[in-house]
Amino acid sequence: MRLRNVVYFWREAWKSLRRNKVLTIASVSTVSICILILGMAVLMTANAGNVMKKLESDVEMVAFLDRALTRSQISQIEEQISRLDGVKSVKFVSRDTALARLEKSYGNKEYDLKSTLGKNPLPHSFEVKAKNPHDVPRIASKVGKIEGVYKVNYGQGVVERLFAVTKWVRAISLAFIVLLSLGAIFLIATTIRLAIYARRKEIYLMKLVGATDWFIRWPFFIEGILLGTLGALFSILLLAGAYSSLVSNMGSVYFIPLVTGGPILNQLYIALLAAGAVLGVVGTYISLNRFLDV
Amino acid sequence: MLVQFYNVSKIYSNGVKALDDVSLKIERGEFLFLMGPSGAGKSTLIKLFFREEAPTRGQIFIASRSIVRMKRSEVPRLRRNIGIVFQDFKLLENKTASENIAFAMEVVGANPKEISQRVAEVIEMVGLKGKENSFPGELSGGEQQRVGIARALANRPLLLIADEPTGNLDIDTSREIMELLFDINRKGTTVIMATHARELVKAARKRVILLDKGRVIADNPNGESIV
Ligand SMILES: Nc1ncnc2c1ncn2[C@@H]1O[C@H](COP(=O)(O)OP(=O)(O)OP(=O)(O)O)[C@@H](O)[C@H]1O
Ligand SMILES: [Mg+2]
């Protein structure tokens, strides 16, 4: 593409933005509002995802061992479990430790279970974590088959329901974001169509004197990118300000693990900026094609 | 031979048959009037030249190239060789006379030096010197049509097509515009003009094609017997 043309395209785009101030403001506001809503949805989804990840990563299984096992049998079992596919960590919990934990959960010294019961009723156990929490049920059934393991607990039933819920939450938020994006494209295309409609005579003339479709499109695309980026910029500033004050006000107070990592948020904001530019271009493309058909 | 139509018919999507089996030939350098009652198909015929409409049947050659089987991407090249003049001028109100003319060259990617040179040239040619910086709203109808003609000439077309270029002008102004078109024709550009203005055609003694209900009913080399 010739430099002369590039200069021409940018100048035309800029002229058009300045000439149709009302439409420019309308388009930028439309993009802003769309990106703002989209950004809120994405932030909510990201946070919901964070919560779900946390819940899921808490899922682990406990393998209770038969009583009369020797030390070497126990370490053999540990071997076998850690060799299973998808196992992240295996931690031995002796019956004494288990009892101490139990007592502690009842409020320290008040209950001396051992003397009450006469002996420690608890078995040795292994706490097994999976690399992917979704593998827990599968691994648990394998662990249960190992000789010397008499029972595996992982919150059977509850965990499956948790996974079902998180799956649906993820699918629904994804669908929500896709729908929002489509709505945004439609809204932006409609606004941009007004701007293009105002210049239909110019486009018709360009076509009749022999301008190529791309020569006509470029200034409009540049205009769309500028509108989209500008609109997105406004909404990101607003969104970033609101979210950071939200995080600093409640992030430390509640147990909810808000997404606060700088890089993740920055990536999100950059993605929203790009989304603004893309919405601008796609909106322009959709609206423009009809007028090029001369 | 610049233009050849072979058995061309045009039926619009609403079923109206605007052209019915039209065949004609136009030589380089000719001046040709298209006449006929309202609805005869003059504008439709004109639109076929630069592919604003495509024919339903038949074959059209311009400078020996078929424009019927032409790809969409080749249409701009065709149009750069054809200047179009409109009855309602179709000037951009927010551009001055010279900007309106330059526009036609800018959008086909001409370079700025070439543009300013050529704009001055055609302004001179159509007799608009001194009005370069006037906006269309500040010009008379005749002057606006001169801008329209200058714009059509900017890219040095082989063929100038005008659909009722004097339709919105009084008779004296129309005669001036006719003189300008004859002048352009004398300098070598082929001109095709659709019109209802019998007096102008009678005075011109040029070739006349008469259309009625989409058919060519007469083709007279100097217009006498028709008008
Ligand atoms: N885009 C269109 N769609 C459908 N029908 C059309 C279209 N354009 C023209 N027609 C019809 O085709 C026929 C020929 O119209 P055309 O405009 O070519 O006539 P014309 O000779 O230019 O008339 P006038 O002298 O009034 O300008 C008319 O019946 C008209 O209604
Ligand atoms: Mg007509």
Side-chain angles (χ1 to χ4, degrees):
Chain A
M1 193 183 294
R2 270 179 268 175
L3 179 67
R4 179 171 80 233
N5 292 347
V6 176
V7 172
Y8 173 82
F9 295 152
W10 279 90
R11 213 183 49 220
E12 284 301 305
W14 181 244
K15 269 201 286 193
S16 160
L17 283 175
R18 292 187 33 145
R19 196 165 49 214
N20 309 309
K21 283 202 188 67
V22 176
L23 284 174
T24 301
I25 292 168
S27 313
V28 170
S29 317
T30 309
V31 175
S32 268
I33 291 165
C34 289
I35 295 285
L36 194 64
I37 295 172
L38 201 62
M40 289 197 293
V42 171
L43 273 176
M44 280 196 276
T45 310
N47 278 301
N50 224 26
V51 171
M52 292 188 302
K53 235 196 204 138
K54 173 94 173 52
L55 287 177
E56 288 180 346
S57 70
D58 287 345
V59 171
E60 60 173 21
M61 66 196 103
V62 183
F64 298 103
L65 304 183
D66 288 336
R67 278 184 188 273
L69 292 175
T70 64
R71 236 168 235 288
S72 71
Q73 279 174 313
I74 289 173
S75 55
Q76 238 174 21
I77 293 171
E78 183 169 9
E79 268 283 322
Q80 278 176 281
I81 294 175
S82 25
R83 268 209 305 267
L84 286 174
D85 219 20
V87 170
K88 186 166 116 195
S89 65
V90 184
K91 189 174 152 222
F92 180 69
V93 179
S94 74
R95 42 196 303 214
D96 294 334
T97 314
L99 187 72
R101 277 194 201 162
L102 190 63
E103 283 176 350
K104 206 172 161 196
S105 75
Y106 279 117
N108 276 355
K109 307 272 184 248
E110 304 217 353
Y111 297 90
D112 187 349
L113 284 173
K114 200 167 183 178
S115 51
T116 312
L117 298 168
K119 57 172 187 174
N120 182 351
L122 299 174
H124 293 310
S125 62
F126 283 115
E127 287 175 1
V128 182
K129 286 207 172 202
K131 285 178 190 142
N132 177 353
H134 289 261
D135 289 338
V136 164
R138 186 179 59 78
I139 295 171
S141 82
K142 281 190 187 156
V143 171
K145 287 186 192 117
I146 293 172
E147 187 113 10
V149 173
Y150 88 91
K151 193 177 179 214
V152 181
N153 259 350
Y154 63 88
Q156 283 91 334
V158 179
V159 166
E160 279 85 352
R161 235 174 293 152
L162 172 69
F163 287 154
V165 168
T166 57
K167 193 175 113 189
W168 276 104
V169 170
R170 283 193 179 110
I172 288 170
S173 29
L174 190 71
F176 187 61
I177 286 173
V178 168
L179 277 179
L180 267 181
S181 307
L182 288 179
I185 286 177
F186 177 75
L187 209 61
I188 291 164
T190 307
T191 316
I192 291 176
R193 170 136 65 232
L194 289 177
I196 295 175
Y197 187 78
R199 296 178 60 191
R200 66 194 182 287
K201 183 170 159 191
E202 204 175 324
I203 296 173
Y204 175 75
L205 281 170
M206 288 189 198
K207 287 291 290 190
L208 287 197
V209 299
T212 60
D213 287 349
W214 276 106
F215 202 95
I216 299 171
R217 276 192 194 114
W218 269 114
F220 285 102
F221 279 172
I222 291 170
E223 209 179 320
I225 290 174
L226 291 177
L227 289 174
T229 314
L230 196 66
L233 210 59
F234 284 138
S235 57
I236 289 167
L237 289 178
L238 212 63
L239 205 61
Y243 189 70
S244 72
S245 78
L246 177 80
V247 168
S248 62
N249 281 333
M250 69 172 273
S252 49
V253 180
Y254 297 96
F255 87 100
I256 300 171
L258 286 176
V259 177
T260 53
I264 298 176
L265 281 181
N266 285 345
Q267 273 169 23
L268 178 78
Y269 294 146
I270 289 171
L272 285 177
L273 200 63
V278 169
L279 287 179
V281 171
V282 173
T284 306
Y285 186 84
I286 294 172
S287 322
L288 191 55
N289 263 2
R290 221 161 48 95
F291 294 95
L292 290 178
D293 222 0
V294 178
Chain B
M1 199 64 65
L2 186 61
V3 179
Q4 291 151 291
F5 276 58
Y6 293 107
N7 309 100
V8 171
S9 295
K10 173 69 187 179
I11 301 168
Y12 283 109
S13 53
N14 62 359
V16 173
K17 191 169 200 171
L19 289 175
D20 185 4
D21 200 29
V22 170
S23 295
L24 55 90
K25 290 191 165 96
I26 303 169
E27 303 275 1
R28 258 174 224 275
E30 260 193 277
F31 194 111
L32 173 77
F33 286 110
L34 273 179
M35 291 199 73
S38 189
K42 302 181 294 295
S43 297
T44 303
L45 184 65
I46 277 176
K47 286 174 183 164
L48 293 178
F49 279 85
F50 47 89
R51 267 284 287 256
E52 189 174 342
E53 296 289 348
T56 312
R57 266 193 302 277
Q59 191 53 265
I60 302 172
F61 294 95
I62 293 184
S64 307
R65 283 185 49 99
S66 165
I67 67 161
V68 173
R69 266 177 283 124
M70 185 172 259
K71 277 185 258 152
R72 189 187 162 96
S73 62
E74 294 172 316
V75 172
R77 254 260 290 290
L78 168 73
R79 289 178 178 170
R80 287 170 202 198
N81 283 310
I82 300 177
I84 306 165
V85 178
F86 305 91
Q87 177 175 359
D88 58 354
F89 323 133
K90 292 213 193 316
L91 301 178
L92 298 172
E93 299 299 325
N94 53 8
K95 289 187 193 294
T96 64
S98 53
E99 284 168 355
N100 263 287
I101 301 165
F103 173 81
M105 297 182 75
E106 280 167 3
V107 301
V108 300
N111 79 50
K113 223 176 99 197
E114 202 181 306
I115 293 176
S116 61
Q117 228 167 45
R118 181 64 181 161
V119 168
E121 223 172 274
V122 291
I123 287 254
E124 167 95 63
M125 202 186 290
V126 301
L128 273 182
K129 258 193 133 176
K131 302 278 183 183
E132 293 92 336
N133 298 320
S134 305
F135 289 92
E138 304 163 353
L139 296 171
S140 73
E143 286 166 338
Q144 291 187 52
Q145 192 57 297
R146 284 170 193 271
V147 177
I149 293 170
R151 180 180 61 195
L153 291 176
N155 289 320
R156 303 175 194 278
L158 285 172
L159 185 61
L160 189 76
I161 299 185
D163 193 354
E164 300 192 45
T166 62
N168 287 6
L169 305 175
D170 63 48
I171 184 67
D172 289 333
T173 315
S174 297
R175 288 204 180 96
E176 286 168 28
I177 292 294
M178 283 313 303
E179 279 313 313
L180 177 58
L181 292 175
F182 291 142
D183 192 38
I184 289 161
N185 176 245
R186 268 194 296 278
K187 287 176 179 143
T189 309
T190 309
V191 179
I192 298 169
M193 168 171 164
T195 185
H196 287 287
R198 290 173 172 279
E199 327 74 83
L200 296 179
V201 177
K202 197 185 281 186
R205 308 208 156 251
K206 302 279 188 190
R207 181 177 170 196
V208 179
I209 288 179
L210 194 57
L211 286 175
D212 190 25
K213 299 195 183 73
R215 302 188 70 98
V216 176
I217 57 168
D219 184 347
N220 191 295
N222 53 25
E224 280 168 331
S225 58
I226 292 176
V227 211

